[in-house]
Amino acid sequence: MRRPPIRGCALILFTNDYNRGAHPAVLQAIADANESSFPGYGADEICARAAGLIRAALGGADADVHFLVGGTQVNYTIIAAALRPWQSVLSADTGHIAQHEAGAVEHTGHKVEVVPGVDGKLSAAQVERAALDSQESTVAEHITQPALVYLSQPTEFGTLYSRDELAAISRTAHEHGLLLFIDGARLAYGLGSPGNDVAMADMAALADVFTIGGTKCGALFGEAAVLVNPAMRTGFRNQMKQNGAMLAKGWLLGLQFEALFTDGLYRRIGAEADARALRIARVFAEAGVPAFLDSPTNQQFVVLTSAQLEALSEGFGFEYWQRVDEDHHCVRFCTSWSTRDHEVDSLAAAVAALPADVGTRAMSTGRE
Amino acid sequence: MRRPPIRGCALILFTNDYNRGAHPAVLQAIADANESSFPGYGADEICARAAGLIRAALGGADADVHFLVGGTQVNYTIIAAALRPWQSVLSADTGHIAQHEAGAVEHTGHKVEVVPGVDGKLSAAQVERAALDSQESTVAEHITQPALVYLSQPTEFGTLYSRDELAAISRTAHEHGLLLFIDGARLAYGLGSPGNDVAMADMAALADVFTIGGTKCGALFGEAAVLVNPAMRTGFRNQMKQNGAMLAKGWLLGLQFEALFTDGLYRRIGAEADARALRIARVFAEAGVPAFLDSPTNQQFVVLTSAQLEALSEGFGFEYWQRVDEDHHCVRFCTSWSTRDHEVDSLAAAVAALPADVGTRAMSTGRE
Amino acid sequence: MRRPPIRGCALILFTNDYNRGAHPAVLQAIADANESSFPGYGADEICARAAGLIRAALGGADADVHFLVGGTQVNYTIIAAALRPWQSVLSADTGHIAQHEAGAVEHTGHKVEVVPGVDGKLSAAQVERAALDSQESTVAEHITQPALVYLSQPTEFGTLYSRDELAAISRTAHEHGLLLFIDGARLAYGLGSPGNDVAMADMAALADVFTIGGTKCGALFGEAAVLVNPAMRTGFRNQMKQNGAMLAKGWLLGLQFEALFTDGLYRRIGAEADARALRIARVFAEAGVPAFLDSPTNQQFVVLTSAQLEALSEGFGFEYWQRVDEDHHCVRFCTSWSTRDHEVDSLAAAVAALPADVGTRAMSTGRE
Amino acid sequence: MRRPPIRGCALILFTNDYNRGAHPAVLQAIADANESSFPGYGADEICARAAGLIRAALGGADADVHFLVGGTQVNYTIIAAALRPWQSVLSADTGHIAQHEAGAVEHTGHKVEVVPGVDGKLSAAQVERAALDSQESTVAEHITQPALVYLSQPTEFGTLYSRDELAAISRTAHEHGLLLFIDGARLAYGLGSPGNDVAMADMAALADVFTIGGTKCGALFGEAAVLVNPAMRTGFRNQMKQNGAMLAKGWLLGLQFEALFTDGLYRRIGAEADARALRIARVFAEAGVPAFLDSPTNQQFVVLTSAQLEALSEGFGFEYWQRVDEDHHCVRFCTSWSTRDHEVDSLAAAVAALPADVGTRAMSTGRE
């Protein structure tokens, strides 16, 4: 019996940034190590070396670096490690932990307190208000106490916090005794964006803990947790194990992050995908298809008519985001490390041939 | 900057069965698929095909098959899915969930009730006693109610349940309203053992849920959860997601299990490693080094003197299990899919050259 | 040494409905039983008799009745008993479980999904939308699945659901596979209100589970959980014990509910307190102090100017609810079984003497 | 309709120490306060006064004192407050939390690690061994880390730790970074025993947290949690609320503990019950009925033949503990604050009339 040939999807997929395996350099590193033996659970020299490369990329910051497998997993493990039982995590209502993780944070026993996001972002003012509301409450014992601010860079909408915005949030959080956690599941696409002014060293300076996403950024799988605040570090590996987040063959994660942080690969992956995404944005704009919001990274949200939606669905995969009005739909096009120029060419040709939007439309904002 | 060469451990490692990457056929499957795009979260045709191959290996049993990443993760996800809040899981005291998973089951809110194991195994009589004790208790509401029997095949000590033993446990559990979960983290080494009479189809017939281990049996990583009892199936994928156990690039797991269940690879991996392990057992026996207990699978436990321990430690990695007496130590030698004949040759030569055990020793049993 | 005299608060308290001990009939029942011995944990004839009286008040409905100690406790115990791990509870954003229970529901691992309430109430249409949104989602496994509707009768704002409204919510919930839980912490004040058309028998017919509040309605402490849907009943006592919600001297709860459900005391308590509350509402209206919203039960919300607030604070305790605008404040006055006419007389005199509200004000709705 | 008369059990109950309401002084305090209004949730002057009396009884120790309702509740709330997620609590296998609380501790996510108790007690040596085993383990991240020692004074078998034993356990625990929690659910009966040399001030000096039981010691209900170690205090009231352990009418608990700690009532209650229990022990001994173990407090365990068991069951309630052999049974007789001399007289007469034990019997120890 022979294994049938492996065939993926027939459409060209802009659905997400995790529909292909790994950057060739990552896969090669795994193949090269396949004949060697390693200690288990991340206690190997590869993981140590990868952690060192990451610390170097942070400008030599003092931080513990651990490697976990997936995004939901690393998020709830960090959040549960940061909070005591009566504390909650503060997030924009569009935050990944608030919307797309199956209640994983609540499953660890903690409430996700949400504030209305603007283009996927929360503000220092909102953090201050939430902190004061809970701390000054006359019934403080009857409400959860936010003790951690969660945000993602880039956000769920592809937008970016500026360094000033992050600095203000960090300062406000710390003034009120809250920690700051930056979810970097798509960090490469933030770092590589022309619109970005937040360096990795800034993140280490401003956040108590943050992640460096591998799964969506060129790795086969894997997320790095960077624990800056010493208070986050105690018992973290025990909690990884307890949460099923400690890979037996931990060196597989070290190998991948070593490859990603050698010769600037991680940032280059982001920059190339962002460039292709911005080309897609221009293509749509030139065809008169409006953006849902302005994103400088690898996720582009545009508003299609029903006819346009149907036309593009024949050759391309993309994600339906939300209905805008009777005849208009917000959809997302994602590029990634694996997007090729000829795929964008095909999309550009199809967009140029789209039927025009002749109707009227009440444009919505990112936040409704 | 060039990546430094990848070097594993200098010793020959018999420490465990997960110190190398993946069987070449598995790695090749991942490499072959790297240019293709796939839907995420296991909703792809590769996973469907792998599940089909597994169902075929079960003799066509009706079962849901899901692919998760790691052993602790799959164990606690299954256990939490099987139990209501007031219920507990019954295990031998040497069970992996009772000893080596950092309290992951308790972390989900459930007590692990232990009974004394014999050579790592529990018995139908113990299951019956525990069920009756809890159900007939006059204070039944004040104690947890065991609702799931957990056992592993092979056990932590490499021993095997016979088909008759499993059938008795299954029958007893079901008579008293308990489910049966068989942890098959090392299942290949059970299936491949000359001492085994339990086929995969038997497991599907006797257990409500069981796992097929990949991580220790030739995969890069991955465990298959086989849900036989329909009561186990509802909401399982939601719980995978909530427990951080749903891999974004789920097809990576499908690819590996497809490779393992093509052309009998999974069983062959087990048979070859068992043969090498049994050769190691003979080598020790011929050198007068006693077995700690009799194992027909890939884990061999022997009792070394301190001098022997020191001598073997120079060239080989193996696991210290427990002190037996002042001068004797139980240690474990593991083979795996990646063990090579020349590695066993080297060990055989070293064992033949060991200093003799001249002292007296009170031999211990597997259970103390 | 002699115990110093017991002195409560010097102000006349309209702060809440639990600032005094117990209705004399309740206290007498406890005193009368003090010389007798009883089996523990609610397995006594008094609890059985009280449960029988409650079932009779429900028109003979088939229901399990259990007695717990407090409101937060009974709410989270019921909710955790109703949900599987991946499921959530749906509530108005002003619901007690969403606002005032310190994250107790999340602490059990479940998300509270909120919808915007109107005067503290959610609607059948909102239930349907939430059910469809989660069930029809293309990422249903990535979001929690609401499986229980939570509402309170009366609500946090003292408002009441009509029988038609409850029937519509019940029908919609059941059509979509959700259960309905009615929190009756203040049920007496609903039953006793002239604006109420929901009988206890209606609650048993429409809800899968509901509570009958004692703490706020004349008992020293205690809440009755009425489990109508058989699916709610399995293991409930185990869960009570596990959640610290099974009182050792359970008969103390039975005694109190027996007293409350003898000779119509429970309803009478509600009717008398409601009458006093509605008199307070009239007193404020006559003084030109506007109601924040229209409540037919024992909680009255009015909007005071800063000067009025200060004036009333000298002699009375009441609860600050929220700021309305620069110079206006929503406050709550509560009556209860223990409110006396002379206390209302004093309040009426003070209100009549309030300074007038001469400013302008943008009136807010109950929902902001 | 008139309430039927309240009748308790017809037998004379020695079943437990919580089968009657409250000491008259406690009930009187509740009755006296019934006309007064109080702030809710324990923020009243009565609770403050009761906490002051308790601190005085501790010799003026600096400690936070909180009042909770029940024993299981206070135990798991304290344990969950003391532990981080990866930590466990160490207990004798006969400990209340290990046996009789429905898995409440595991329900909070923590493992109860057990060591074999002797007469219900664990030892400093066992604490040291457990601490070293976990901390020195080569797989420390794969096992839970005990961080709290749990013991009860008196134990489940009525036995007492000496001051020297407690001091050794305290010293050992603290040397290894563990906290000490003493469960004083029956503390009055320890304090009042002629065999006791542990003063309340000793407990405050040796334990990080302990409880003073009310439910079994003369209160209607209620347990005081004494938090000595400042690390235990942060957020404790939030956790009480979250765990359903904050009574709305908190002053009811303050009133009871104020009464119990006025004029030495708490200790007197214990001393009188112990005296009656020791009389029961003598009565059995004089009748040739052997003790199961030697208890100096209010619980007495004796070994009855089947015929004796049957004979005593006609007029008395007592608790069946465990089968000793074919014809012998360990049973428990409890006295309490509510036991009267004439009840003991009746028992004495019945015991004197028991049929003799003519068979042979293999006496068991407290630990099997």
Side-chain angles (χ1 to χ4, degrees), chain C residues 39 88 122 131 155 284 299 311 325 367:
Chain C
S88 57
L122 50 66
T155 71
F284 275 113
Q299 300 178 82
D325 63 24
R367 283 290 317 133

Side-chain angles (χ1 to χ4, degrees), chain C residues 90-269:
Chain C
L90 193 69
S91 166
D93 51 2
T94 50
H96 205 261
I97 58 168
Q99 296 283 2
H100 295 292
E101 299 188 355
V105 171
E106 290 86 355
H107 189 54
T108 70
H110 299 284
K111 184 166 189 152
V112 181
E113 303 273 1
V114 295
V115 294
V118 174
D119 292 348
K121 294 157 66 175
L122 50 66
S123 68
Q126 287 175 314
V127 170
E128 177 157 51
R129 166 65 60 97
L132 292 177
D133 279 358
S134 66
Q135 292 165 2
E136 296 179 350
S137 169
T138 56
V139 290
E141 296 153 0
H142 297 215
I143 58 177
T144 59
Q145 298 289 314
L148 180 71
V149 177
Y150 165 92
L151 59 84
S152 50
Q153 173 83 336
T155 71
E156 295 299 298
F157 284 107
T159 53
L160 288 171
Y161 289 87
S162 71
R163 186 167 49 186
D164 283 352
E165 287 172 333
L166 281 186
I169 291 170
S170 172
R171 191 171 52 242
T172 305
H174 292 157
E175 272 172 18
H176 295 285
L178 285 76
L179 302 177
L180 174 58
F181 167 27
I182 302 177
D183 175 352
R186 292 188 169 98
L187 185 58
Y189 306 115
L191 296 174
S193 168
N196 178 55
D197 72 347
V198 181
M200 284 189 68
D202 294 325
M203 295 178 66
L206 298 173
D208 297 279
V209 53
F210 66 96
T211 58
I212 302 172
T215 302
K216 296 173 176 172
C217 304
L220 205 54
F221 59 90
E223 311 290 309
V226 182
L227 313 182
V228 183
N229 187 325
M232 285 296 307
R233 303 183 196 177
T234 310
F236 193 79
R237 277 176 58 82
N238 302 64
Q239 292 187 275
M240 286 171 59
K241 177 66 184 168
Q242 191 173 55
N243 283 291
M246 187 182 275
L247 192 66
K249 302 181 185 174
W251 72 87
L252 294 175
L253 293 160
L255 285 169
Q256 298 182 72
F257 277 90
E258 187 184 31
L260 290 172
F261 280 85
T262 295
D263 294 335
L265 177 59
Y266 190 71
R267 188 198 177 88
R268 201 163 64 241
I269 280 174

Side-chain angles (χ1 to χ4, degrees), chain D residues 304-318:
Chain D
L304 300 179
T305 64
S306 301
Q308 292 171 338
L309 179 69
E310 192 178 348
L312 284 181
S313 297
E314 283 181 30
F316 303 91
F318 47 90

Side-chain angles (χ1 to χ4, degrees), chain A residues 248-322:
Chain A
K249 301 181 185 174
W251 71 87
L252 294 174
L253 293 160
L255 285 168
Q256 298 183 71
F257 277 90
E258 187 183 32
L260 290 172
F261 279 86
T262 295
D263 293 336
L265 178 58
Y266 190 71
R267 188 196 176 89
R268 203 164 63 241
I269 280 173
E272 291 176 6
D274 287 343
R276 292 190 174 100
L278 293 173
R279 183 181 159 208
I280 290 174
R282 284 193 304 274
V283 160
F284 275 113
E286 288 161 8
V289 174
F292 183 71
L293 51 69
D294 211 38
S295 158
T297 64
N298 75 315
Q299 301 178 81
Q300 296 297 325
F301 298 82
V302 294
V303 179
L304 301 178
T305 64
S306 302
Q308 292 171 338
L309 179 69
E310 191 178 348
L312 283 181
S313 297
E314 284 182 28
F316 304 92
F318 47 92
E319 191 159 321
Y320 191 91
W321 206 254
Q322 62 182 83

Side-chain angles (χ1 to χ4, degrees), chain D residues 98 145 329:
Chain D
Q145 298 289 314
H329 314 271

Side-chain angles (χ1 to χ4, degrees), chain A residues 41 80-87 109 140-145 231 234-239 241-242 246, chain D residues 41 80-87 109 140-145 231 234-239 241-242 246:
Chain A
Y41 304 106
L83 301 180
R84 299 297 308 275
W86 66 93
Q87 297 175 330
E141 296 153 359
H142 297 215
I143 59 177
T144 59
Q145 298 289 313
T234 310
F236 194 78
R237 278 176 58 82
N238 302 64
Q239 292 188 276
K241 177 66 184 168
Q242 191 174 56
M246 187 182 274
Chain D
Y41 304 106
L83 301 180
R84 298 298 307 275
W86 66 93
Q87 297 175 330
E141 296 153 359
H142 297 216
I143 58 178
T144 59
Q145 298 289 314
T234 310
F236 193 79
R237 277 177 57 83
N238 303 64
Q239 292 188 275
K241 178 65 185 167
Q242 191 174 55
M246 187 182 275

